[in-house]
Each structure stands twice: as C-alpha cells, then as structure tokens.
Short mmCIF file of all heavy atoms in Angstrom, two decimals:
data_model
loop_
_atom_site.label_atom_id
_atom_site.label_comp_id
_atom_site.label_asym_id
_atom_site.label_seq_id
_atom_site.Cartn_x
_atom_site.Cartn_y
_atom_site.Cartn_z
N MET A 604 0.85 -1.20 0.00
CA MET A 604 0.00 0.00 0.00
C MET A 604 0.89 1.25 0.00
O MET A 604 1.81 1.32 0.79
CB MET A 604 -0.89 -0.01 1.24
CG MET A 604 -2.20 0.74 1.02
SD MET A 604 -3.23 0.61 2.48
CE MET A 604 -3.51 -1.16 2.54
N PRO A 605 0.60 2.15 -0.89
CA PRO A 605 1.49 3.32 -1.00
C PRO A 605 1.28 4.33 0.12
O PRO A 605 0.15 4.53 0.59
CB PRO A 605 1.10 3.93 -2.34
CG PRO A 605 -0.32 3.52 -2.54
CD PRO A 605 -0.47 2.18 -1.87
N ILE A 606 2.36 4.95 0.52
CA ILE A 606 2.28 6.03 1.49
C ILE A 606 2.46 7.34 0.73
O ILE A 606 3.37 7.48 -0.06
CB ILE A 606 3.38 5.91 2.55
CG1 ILE A 606 3.19 4.63 3.35
CG2 ILE A 606 3.39 7.12 3.47
CD1 ILE A 606 4.24 4.44 4.42
N TYR A 607 1.56 8.28 0.97
CA TYR A 607 1.66 9.57 0.31
C TYR A 607 1.91 10.66 1.33
O TYR A 607 1.46 10.58 2.47
CB TYR A 607 0.38 9.88 -0.47
CG TYR A 607 0.19 8.98 -1.66
CD1 TYR A 607 -0.79 8.00 -1.66
CD2 TYR A 607 1.00 9.13 -2.78
CE1 TYR A 607 -0.96 7.17 -2.75
CE2 TYR A 607 0.83 8.30 -3.88
CZ TYR A 607 -0.15 7.33 -3.86
OH TYR A 607 -0.32 6.51 -4.94
N GLU A 608 2.62 11.66 0.86
CA GLU A 608 2.85 12.84 1.70
C GLU A 608 1.88 13.91 1.29
O GLU A 608 1.70 14.18 0.11
CB GLU A 608 4.27 13.35 1.49
CG GLU A 608 5.24 12.94 2.56
CD GLU A 608 6.59 13.61 2.36
OE1 GLU A 608 6.69 14.81 2.61
OE2 GLU A 608 7.51 12.92 1.93
N TYR A 609 1.28 14.53 2.26
CA TYR A 609 0.34 15.61 1.98
C TYR A 609 0.74 16.86 2.75
O TYR A 609 1.32 16.79 3.83
CB TYR A 609 -1.08 15.22 2.39
CG TYR A 609 -1.72 14.23 1.47
CD1 TYR A 609 -1.65 12.87 1.73
CD2 TYR A 609 -2.40 14.65 0.33
CE1 TYR A 609 -2.23 11.95 0.89
CE2 TYR A 609 -2.99 13.74 -0.51
CZ TYR A 609 -2.91 12.39 -0.24
OH TYR A 609 -3.48 11.48 -1.06
N ALA A 610 0.40 17.98 2.16
CA ALA A 610 0.52 19.24 2.88
C ALA A 610 -0.87 19.85 2.92
O ALA A 610 -1.53 19.98 1.90
CB ALA A 610 1.49 20.17 2.17
N CYS A 611 -1.30 20.19 4.11
CA CYS A 611 -2.63 20.75 4.26
C CYS A 611 -2.69 22.17 3.70
O CYS A 611 -1.84 23.00 3.98
CB CYS A 611 -3.00 20.75 5.74
SG CYS A 611 -4.64 21.46 6.02
N GLY A 612 -3.69 22.41 2.87
CA GLY A 612 -3.85 23.74 2.29
C GLY A 612 -4.51 24.71 3.25
O GLY A 612 -4.57 25.91 2.98
N ASN A 613 -4.98 24.21 4.35
CA ASN A 613 -5.67 25.06 5.31
C ASN A 613 -4.74 25.52 6.43
O ASN A 613 -4.61 26.70 6.69
CB ASN A 613 -6.87 24.30 5.88
CG ASN A 613 -7.71 25.18 6.79
OD1 ASN A 613 -7.99 26.32 6.46
ND2 ASN A 613 -8.09 24.65 7.94
N CYS A 614 -4.06 24.57 7.06
CA CYS A 614 -3.22 24.93 8.20
C CYS A 614 -1.73 24.71 7.93
O CYS A 614 -0.90 25.07 8.73
CB CYS A 614 -3.65 24.14 9.45
SG CYS A 614 -3.20 22.39 9.39
N GLY A 615 -1.44 24.10 6.78
CA GLY A 615 -0.03 23.93 6.42
C GLY A 615 0.62 22.71 7.03
O GLY A 615 1.81 22.48 6.85
N HIS A 616 -0.14 21.93 7.74
CA HIS A 616 0.39 20.73 8.36
C HIS A 616 0.82 19.72 7.30
O HIS A 616 0.11 19.50 6.33
CB HIS A 616 -0.68 20.12 9.28
CG HIS A 616 -0.21 18.94 10.06
ND1 HIS A 616 0.74 19.03 11.04
CD2 HIS A 616 -0.54 17.62 9.97
CE1 HIS A 616 0.95 17.82 11.54
NE2 HIS A 616 0.20 16.95 10.91
N GLU A 617 2.00 19.15 7.49
CA GLU A 617 2.47 18.14 6.55
C GLU A 617 2.46 16.78 7.22
O GLU A 617 2.89 16.64 8.37
CB GLU A 617 3.89 18.48 6.09
CG GLU A 617 3.92 19.76 5.28
CD GLU A 617 5.33 20.06 4.76
OE1 GLU A 617 6.21 19.21 4.92
OE2 GLU A 617 5.51 21.13 4.19
N PHE A 618 1.98 15.81 6.50
CA PHE A 618 1.87 14.48 7.09
C PHE A 618 1.92 13.43 6.01
O PHE A 618 1.76 13.71 4.82
CB PHE A 618 0.58 14.37 7.90
CG PHE A 618 -0.67 14.57 7.07
CD1 PHE A 618 -1.39 13.47 6.60
CD2 PHE A 618 -1.11 15.84 6.75
CE1 PHE A 618 -2.52 13.64 5.84
CE2 PHE A 618 -2.25 16.03 5.96
CZ PHE A 618 -2.96 14.92 5.52
N GLU A 619 2.14 12.21 6.46
CA GLU A 619 2.12 11.08 5.55
C GLU A 619 0.96 10.19 5.92
O GLU A 619 0.62 10.06 7.09
CB GLU A 619 3.41 10.26 5.67
CG GLU A 619 4.63 11.03 5.30
CD GLU A 619 5.88 10.25 5.66
OE1 GLU A 619 5.78 9.11 6.11
OE2 GLU A 619 6.97 10.81 5.49
N THR A 620 0.37 9.59 4.93
CA THR A 620 -0.73 8.70 5.24
C THR A 620 -0.85 7.61 4.19
O THR A 620 -0.45 7.78 3.05
CB THR A 620 -2.06 9.48 5.34
OG1 THR A 620 -3.08 8.61 5.81
CG2 THR A 620 -2.46 10.04 3.99
N LEU A 621 -1.37 6.51 4.63
CA LEU A 621 -1.69 5.45 3.68
C LEU A 621 -3.00 5.80 3.00
O LEU A 621 -3.94 6.26 3.64
CB LEU A 621 -1.86 4.11 4.40
CG LEU A 621 -0.60 3.52 5.02
CD1 LEU A 621 -0.96 2.34 5.90
CD2 LEU A 621 0.36 3.07 3.94
N VAL A 622 -3.04 5.62 1.70
CA VAL A 622 -4.24 5.98 0.97
C VAL A 622 -4.83 4.76 0.29
O VAL A 622 -4.19 4.12 -0.51
CB VAL A 622 -3.94 7.06 -0.08
CG1 VAL A 622 -5.21 7.41 -0.85
CG2 VAL A 622 -3.37 8.29 0.57
N ARG A 623 -6.02 4.43 0.67
CA ARG A 623 -6.74 3.38 -0.02
C ARG A 623 -7.48 4.00 -1.19
O ARG A 623 -7.90 5.16 -1.10
CB ARG A 623 -7.75 2.71 0.90
CG ARG A 623 -7.10 1.94 2.02
CD ARG A 623 -8.12 1.71 3.12
NE ARG A 623 -7.47 1.66 4.43
CZ ARG A 623 -7.20 0.52 5.06
NH1 ARG A 623 -7.51 -0.61 4.53
NH2 ARG A 623 -6.62 0.53 6.23
N SER A 624 -7.66 3.23 -2.22
CA SER A 624 -8.35 3.77 -3.37
C SER A 624 -9.79 4.12 -3.01
O SER A 624 -10.50 3.33 -2.40
CB SER A 624 -8.33 2.76 -4.52
OG SER A 624 -8.89 1.55 -4.11
N GLY A 625 -10.20 5.31 -3.38
CA GLY A 625 -11.56 5.74 -3.10
C GLY A 625 -11.70 6.49 -1.80
O GLY A 625 -12.72 7.12 -1.56
N ALA A 626 -10.67 6.45 -0.96
CA ALA A 626 -10.74 7.15 0.31
C ALA A 626 -10.10 8.52 0.19
O ALA A 626 -9.05 8.66 -0.40
CB ALA A 626 -10.05 6.34 1.40
N ALA A 627 -10.77 9.51 0.72
CA ALA A 627 -10.22 10.86 0.70
C ALA A 627 -9.60 11.17 2.05
O ALA A 627 -10.32 11.21 3.05
CB ALA A 627 -11.31 11.87 0.37
N PRO A 628 -8.30 11.35 2.11
CA PRO A 628 -7.66 11.65 3.39
C PRO A 628 -7.95 13.07 3.83
O PRO A 628 -8.25 13.95 3.02
CB PRO A 628 -6.16 11.49 3.07
CG PRO A 628 -6.06 11.78 1.61
CD PRO A 628 -7.35 11.31 0.99
N ASP A 629 -7.90 13.27 5.11
CA ASP A 629 -8.07 14.63 5.62
C ASP A 629 -6.93 14.95 6.59
O ASP A 629 -6.22 14.07 7.06
CB ASP A 629 -9.44 14.82 6.30
CG ASP A 629 -9.61 13.89 7.48
OD1 ASP A 629 -8.81 12.94 7.62
OD2 ASP A 629 -10.55 14.09 8.26
N CYS A 630 -6.77 16.22 6.83
CA CYS A 630 -5.68 16.68 7.69
C CYS A 630 -5.92 16.20 9.12
O CYS A 630 -7.00 16.42 9.68
CB CYS A 630 -5.62 18.21 7.64
SG CYS A 630 -4.42 18.91 8.79
N PRO A 631 -4.93 15.55 9.73
CA PRO A 631 -5.09 15.07 11.11
C PRO A 631 -5.11 16.22 12.12
O PRO A 631 -5.49 16.04 13.26
CB PRO A 631 -3.87 14.18 11.33
CG PRO A 631 -2.86 14.65 10.34
CD PRO A 631 -3.64 15.17 9.15
N SER A 632 -4.71 17.39 11.67
CA SER A 632 -4.66 18.53 12.58
C SER A 632 -5.96 19.32 12.59
O SER A 632 -6.52 19.63 13.63
CB SER A 632 -3.50 19.44 12.19
OG SER A 632 -3.42 20.55 13.05
N CYS A 633 -6.44 19.64 11.36
CA CYS A 633 -7.65 20.48 11.31
C CYS A 633 -8.79 19.80 10.55
O CYS A 633 -9.85 20.38 10.40
CB CYS A 633 -7.30 21.82 10.66
SG CYS A 633 -6.97 21.68 8.88
N HIS A 634 -8.53 18.59 10.05
CA HIS A 634 -9.53 17.80 9.35
C HIS A 634 -10.03 18.44 8.06
O HIS A 634 -11.12 18.14 7.59
CB HIS A 634 -10.72 17.47 10.27
CG HIS A 634 -10.31 16.68 11.47
ND1 HIS A 634 -9.92 15.37 11.41
CD2 HIS A 634 -10.18 17.05 12.78
CE1 HIS A 634 -9.58 14.96 12.61
NE2 HIS A 634 -9.73 15.95 13.45
N SER A 635 -9.23 19.31 7.52
CA SER A 635 -9.56 19.87 6.22
C SER A 635 -9.22 18.83 5.14
O SER A 635 -8.32 18.02 5.30
CB SER A 635 -8.75 21.15 5.98
OG SER A 635 -8.87 21.55 4.63
N THR A 636 -9.97 18.86 4.07
CA THR A 636 -9.66 17.96 2.96
C THR A 636 -9.00 18.72 1.81
O THR A 636 -8.84 18.21 0.72
CB THR A 636 -10.94 17.27 2.44
OG1 THR A 636 -11.91 18.26 2.14
CG2 THR A 636 -11.48 16.30 3.46
N GLU A 637 -8.61 19.95 2.10
CA GLU A 637 -7.88 20.74 1.10
C GLU A 637 -6.40 20.39 1.19
O GLU A 637 -5.61 21.09 1.81
CB GLU A 637 -8.06 22.23 1.39
CG GLU A 637 -9.10 22.89 0.52
CD GLU A 637 -9.12 24.39 0.75
OE1 GLU A 637 -8.11 25.04 0.45
OE2 GLU A 637 -10.14 24.87 1.24
N LEU A 638 -6.07 19.28 0.58
CA LEU A 638 -4.71 18.79 0.71
C LEU A 638 -3.97 18.86 -0.61
O LEU A 638 -4.55 18.65 -1.67
CB LEU A 638 -4.74 17.34 1.20
CG LEU A 638 -5.53 17.11 2.48
CD1 LEU A 638 -5.57 15.61 2.78
CD2 LEU A 638 -4.94 17.86 3.64
N ARG A 639 -2.71 19.16 -0.50
CA ARG A 639 -1.87 19.09 -1.68
C ARG A 639 -1.02 17.84 -1.58
O ARG A 639 -0.32 17.63 -0.59
CB ARG A 639 -0.97 20.33 -1.77
CG ARG A 639 -1.70 21.52 -2.34
CD ARG A 639 -0.85 22.74 -2.23
NE ARG A 639 -0.38 22.89 -0.83
CZ ARG A 639 0.21 23.99 -0.37
NH1 ARG A 639 0.41 25.00 -1.15
NH2 ARG A 639 0.60 24.07 0.88
N LYS A 640 -1.10 17.04 -2.59
CA LYS A 640 -0.37 15.79 -2.57
C LYS A 640 1.08 16.05 -2.93
O LYS A 640 1.39 16.76 -3.88
CB LYS A 640 -1.00 14.87 -3.62
CG LYS A 640 -0.63 13.42 -3.48
CD LYS A 640 -1.47 12.67 -4.49
CE LYS A 640 -1.24 11.20 -4.43
NZ LYS A 640 -2.07 10.53 -5.43
N ARG A 641 1.97 15.49 -2.14
CA ARG A 641 3.39 15.62 -2.42
C ARG A 641 3.90 14.29 -2.93
O ARG A 641 3.18 13.31 -2.97
CB ARG A 641 4.12 16.05 -1.16
CG ARG A 641 3.66 17.41 -0.67
CD ARG A 641 3.98 17.62 0.78
NE ARG A 641 5.40 17.65 1.02
CZ ARG A 641 6.16 18.74 0.89
NH1 ARG A 641 5.61 19.88 0.58
NH2 ARG A 641 7.44 18.71 1.11
N LEU A 642 5.15 14.29 -3.29
CA LEU A 642 5.71 13.06 -3.81
C LEU A 642 5.82 12.02 -2.71
O LEU A 642 6.08 12.35 -1.56
CB LEU A 642 7.11 13.32 -4.37
CG LEU A 642 7.13 14.07 -5.69
CD1 LEU A 642 8.58 14.32 -6.10
CD2 LEU A 642 6.44 13.26 -6.78
N SER A 643 5.62 10.81 -3.07
CA SER A 643 5.82 9.73 -2.13
C SER A 643 7.27 9.69 -1.69
O SER A 643 8.17 9.99 -2.46
CB SER A 643 5.43 8.40 -2.77
OG SER A 643 5.95 7.34 -2.01
N VAL A 644 7.50 9.32 -0.46
CA VAL A 644 8.86 9.26 0.05
C VAL A 644 9.68 8.21 -0.69
O VAL A 644 10.89 8.27 -0.74
CB VAL A 644 8.89 8.96 1.56
CG1 VAL A 644 8.46 10.18 2.34
CG2 VAL A 644 8.03 7.77 1.89
N PHE A 645 9.00 7.24 -1.27
CA PHE A 645 9.71 6.19 -1.98
C PHE A 645 10.10 6.62 -3.38
O PHE A 645 11.00 6.08 -3.96
CB PHE A 645 8.86 4.93 -2.05
CG PHE A 645 8.54 4.37 -0.70
CD1 PHE A 645 7.24 4.34 -0.25
CD2 PHE A 645 9.55 3.89 0.12
CE1 PHE A 645 6.93 3.84 1.00
CE2 PHE A 645 9.26 3.40 1.38
CZ PHE A 645 7.95 3.37 1.82
N ALA A 646 9.39 7.59 -3.90
CA ALA A 646 9.62 8.00 -5.28
C ALA A 646 10.73 9.03 -5.40
O ALA A 646 11.15 9.36 -6.48
CB ALA A 646 8.34 8.56 -5.89
N THR A 647 11.21 9.54 -4.27
CA THR A 647 12.18 10.62 -4.34
C THR A 647 13.62 10.13 -4.33
O THR A 647 14.53 10.89 -4.53
CB THR A 647 11.99 11.58 -3.16
OG1 THR A 647 11.99 10.83 -1.96
CG2 THR A 647 10.67 12.34 -3.29
N ALA A 648 13.82 8.84 -4.11
CA ALA A 648 15.18 8.31 -4.17
C ALA A 648 15.57 8.17 -5.63
O ALA A 648 15.37 7.14 -6.25
CB ALA A 648 15.27 6.98 -3.44
N GLY A 649 16.12 9.21 -6.19
CA GLY A 649 16.24 9.28 -7.64
C GLY A 649 17.57 8.83 -8.21
O GLY A 649 17.60 8.25 -9.28
N SER A 650 18.66 9.09 -7.50
CA SER A 650 19.96 8.92 -8.15
C SER A 650 20.48 7.50 -8.06
O SER A 650 21.29 7.17 -7.22
CB SER A 650 20.96 9.87 -7.53
OG SER A 650 21.09 9.58 -6.15
N THR A 651 19.98 6.67 -8.94
CA THR A 651 20.58 5.34 -9.05
C THR A 651 21.66 5.41 -10.12
O THR A 651 21.48 6.03 -11.14
CB THR A 651 19.54 4.28 -9.44
OG1 THR A 651 18.72 4.81 -10.47
CG2 THR A 651 18.66 3.92 -8.25
N ALA A 652 22.78 4.78 -9.86
CA ALA A 652 23.88 4.80 -10.82
C ALA A 652 23.45 4.13 -12.12
O ALA A 652 22.84 3.07 -12.11
CB ALA A 652 25.09 4.08 -10.24
N ALA A 653 23.76 4.78 -13.19
CA ALA A 653 23.39 4.23 -14.49
C ALA A 653 24.30 3.05 -14.81
O ALA A 653 25.31 3.18 -15.48
CB ALA A 653 23.50 5.30 -15.56
N ALA A 654 23.92 1.93 -14.28
CA ALA A 654 24.73 0.74 -14.49
C ALA A 654 24.47 0.17 -15.88
O ALA A 654 23.35 -0.16 -16.22
CB ALA A 654 24.40 -0.30 -13.42
N ASN A 655 25.52 0.12 -16.65
CA ASN A 655 25.39 -0.42 -18.00
C ASN A 655 26.46 -1.50 -18.17
O ASN A 655 27.50 -1.27 -18.75
CB ASN A 655 25.58 0.70 -19.04
CG ASN A 655 25.20 0.21 -20.43
OD1 ASN A 655 24.53 -0.80 -20.60
ND2 ASN A 655 25.64 0.94 -21.43
N PRO A 656 26.18 -2.65 -17.64
CA PRO A 656 27.20 -3.71 -17.62
C PRO A 656 27.55 -4.19 -19.02
O PRO A 656 26.67 -4.50 -19.82
CB PRO A 656 26.55 -4.82 -16.80
CG PRO A 656 25.09 -4.57 -16.93
CD PRO A 656 24.92 -3.08 -17.06
N VAL A 657 28.84 -4.23 -19.30
CA VAL A 657 29.29 -4.75 -20.59
C VAL A 657 29.58 -6.24 -20.43
O VAL A 657 30.29 -6.63 -19.51
CB VAL A 657 30.59 -4.03 -21.04
CG1 VAL A 657 31.07 -4.60 -22.38
CG2 VAL A 657 30.34 -2.53 -21.14
N PRO A 658 29.02 -7.04 -21.28
CA PRO A 658 29.27 -8.48 -21.19
C PRO A 658 30.75 -8.80 -21.41
O PRO A 658 31.37 -8.31 -22.35
CB PRO A 658 28.41 -9.08 -22.31
CG PRO A 658 28.08 -7.93 -23.21
CD PRO A 658 28.08 -6.71 -22.35
N ALA A 659 31.31 -9.59 -20.50
CA ALA A 659 32.73 -9.89 -20.59
C ALA A 659 33.01 -10.89 -21.69
O ALA A 659 32.71 -12.07 -21.57
CB ALA A 659 33.22 -10.42 -19.25
N GLY A 660 33.59 -10.43 -22.77
CA GLY A 660 33.95 -11.31 -23.87
C GLY A 660 35.43 -11.61 -23.83
O GLY A 660 36.13 -11.13 -22.96
N PRO A 661 35.92 -12.42 -24.77
CA PRO A 661 37.34 -12.76 -24.83
C PRO A 661 38.24 -11.53 -24.96
O PRO A 661 39.34 -11.50 -24.42
CB PRO A 661 37.45 -13.62 -26.08
CG PRO A 661 36.08 -14.18 -26.29
CD PRO A 661 35.15 -13.10 -25.79
N CYS A 662 37.82 -10.56 -25.71
CA CYS A 662 38.62 -9.35 -25.89
C CYS A 662 38.67 -8.52 -24.63
O CYS A 662 39.63 -7.84 -24.38
CB CYS A 662 38.03 -8.54 -27.04
SG CYS A 662 38.85 -6.96 -27.28
N GLY A 663 37.65 -8.56 -23.86
CA GLY A 663 37.59 -7.77 -22.65
C GLY A 663 37.00 -6.41 -22.89
O GLY A 663 36.64 -5.71 -21.95
N ALA A 664 36.91 -6.00 -24.12
CA ALA A 664 36.34 -4.69 -24.42
C ALA A 664 35.19 -4.80 -25.40
O ALA A 664 34.15 -4.19 -25.22
CB ALA A 664 37.41 -3.76 -24.97
N CYS A 665 35.37 -5.56 -26.45
CA CYS A 665 34.34 -5.58 -27.48
C CYS A 665 33.80 -6.98 -27.71
O CYS A 665 32.88 -7.18 -28.47
CB CYS A 665 34.89 -5.03 -28.79
SG CYS A 665 36.08 -6.15 -29.56
N GLY A 666 34.40 -7.98 -27.08
CA GLY A 666 33.92 -9.33 -27.26
C GLY A 666 34.50 -10.00 -28.50
O GLY A 666 33.97 -11.00 -28.98
N HIS A 667 35.59 -9.48 -29.03
CA HIS A 667 36.22 -10.10 -30.20
C HIS A 667 36.72 -11.50 -29.83
O HIS A 667 37.42 -11.67 -28.82
CB HIS A 667 37.39 -9.22 -30.67
CG HIS A 667 37.84 -9.57 -32.07
ND1 HIS A 667 38.52 -10.71 -32.36
CD2 HIS A 667 37.65 -8.90 -33.24
CE1 HIS A 667 38.78 -10.73 -33.66
NE2 HIS A 667 38.25 -9.64 -34.22
N PRO A 668 36.43 -12.49 -30.61
CA PRO A 668 36.76 -13.89 -30.24
C PRO A 668 38.25 -14.21 -30.34
O PRO A 668 38.70 -15.24 -29.85
CB PRO A 668 35.96 -14.73 -31.25
CG PRO A 668 35.75 -13.81 -32.41
CD PRO A 668 35.65 -12.41 -31.83
N ASP A 669 39.06 -13.38 -30.98
CA ASP A 669 40.49 -13.69 -31.16
C ASP A 669 41.37 -13.33 -29.97
O ASP A 669 42.58 -13.53 -30.00
CB ASP A 669 41.03 -13.00 -32.42
CG ASP A 669 40.51 -13.70 -33.67
OD1 ASP A 669 39.97 -14.82 -33.54
OD2 ASP A 669 40.63 -13.13 -34.75
N GLY A 670 40.78 -12.77 -28.95
CA GLY A 670 41.58 -12.50 -27.77
C GLY A 670 41.69 -11.02 -27.48
O GLY A 670 41.21 -10.18 -28.25
N PRO A 671 42.32 -10.70 -26.34
CA PRO A 671 42.41 -9.30 -25.89
C PRO A 671 43.13 -8.41 -26.89
O PRO A 671 44.21 -8.76 -27.39
CB PRO A 671 43.22 -9.40 -24.59
CG PRO A 671 43.05 -10.82 -24.15
CD PRO A 671 42.88 -11.63 -25.40
N GLY A 672 42.53 -7.33 -27.24
CA GLY A 672 43.19 -6.36 -28.12
C GLY A 672 43.04 -6.65 -29.59
O GLY A 672 43.48 -5.86 -30.42
N SER A 673 42.43 -7.75 -29.94
CA SER A 673 42.34 -8.11 -31.34
C SER A 673 41.51 -7.12 -32.14
O SER A 673 41.77 -6.90 -33.33
CB SER A 673 41.72 -9.50 -31.49
OG SER A 673 42.58 -10.48 -30.94
N CYS A 674 40.58 -6.54 -31.48
CA CYS A 674 39.70 -5.61 -32.19
C CYS A 674 40.44 -4.33 -32.54
O CYS A 674 40.09 -3.63 -33.48
CB CYS A 674 38.49 -5.29 -31.34
SG CYS A 674 38.91 -4.56 -29.76
N ALA A 675 41.53 -4.02 -31.81
CA ALA A 675 42.26 -2.78 -32.05
C ALA A 675 43.22 -2.95 -33.21
O ALA A 675 43.66 -1.99 -33.82
CB ALA A 675 43.01 -2.36 -30.81
N LEU A 676 43.62 -4.20 -33.51
CA LEU A 676 44.56 -4.47 -34.60
C LEU A 676 43.78 -4.65 -35.88
O LEU A 676 43.07 -5.62 -36.06
CB LEU A 676 45.39 -5.74 -34.32
CG LEU A 676 46.07 -5.78 -32.96
CD1 LEU A 676 46.68 -7.16 -32.74
CD2 LEU A 676 47.13 -4.71 -32.87
N ASP A 677 43.97 -3.75 -36.79
CA ASP A 677 43.17 -3.82 -38.00
C ASP A 677 44.05 -4.21 -39.18
O ASP A 677 45.10 -3.68 -39.35
CB ASP A 677 42.47 -2.48 -38.25
CG ASP A 677 41.30 -2.67 -39.23
OD1 ASP A 677 40.91 -3.85 -39.46
OD2 ASP A 677 40.81 -1.68 -39.76
ZN1 ZN B 437 -4.79 21.12 8.31
#
C-alpha cells in the first residue's frame, strides 16, 4: 500500500498517510480535505547509478573472439 505525503492547504500541516483507493484523506490537525499531494517518500530516491554492464567477452572490451586487443589491430 502506498504512502503519500500531503501538505494541508488550510493549516499547512504536513503528514504522511496510507491511501486506499476511493478514500479521501483529511488533515489530522484540522480535518480539512484541502490537501496538496506531495511526492511519495519512496519516489524521491532518484539517483541510481546508471549501471550499463558490458558483457565480458574474450577481448575484454568488445567481445572479439580472437583475444584481448584483437579488435584494435586492424
Ligand atoms: Zn490542516
């Protein structure tokens, strides 16, 4: 079940809550339903390293079957 962050548009209170589909959350402080939805705390972990693994072939760089460096010798 996703957790969402909300900021109350009435009193400014910020809180997290579980949201079921069809249910309208309200501010736990003033019970206003004027809420601004913020990003989920799970969605903000953005910087994953762009891992682009190169398959290790015989050449070590390009996968040339004749051995290391063969692709550089033309
Ligand atoms: Zn409020």
Side-chain angles (χ1 to χ4, degrees):
M604 208 177 297
I606 297 180
Y607 291 108
E608 260 186 73
Y609 286 94
C611 179
N613 185 44
C614 72
H616 184 67
E617 294 183 7
F618 61 98
E619 297 171 5
T620 187
L621 292 170
V622 179
R623 293 161 211 260
S624 57
D629 61 346
C630 175
S632 180
C633 71
H634 300 289
S635 169
T636 53
E637 260 186 64
L638 305 175
R639 280 172 308 192
K640 197 173 182 180
R641 297 159 65 85
L642 287 177
S643 164
V644 286
F645 298 115
T647 52
S650 60
T651 44
N655 191 17
V657 179
C662 175
C665 71
H667 196 288
D669 286 348
S673 294
C674 59
L676 309 172
D677 198 15

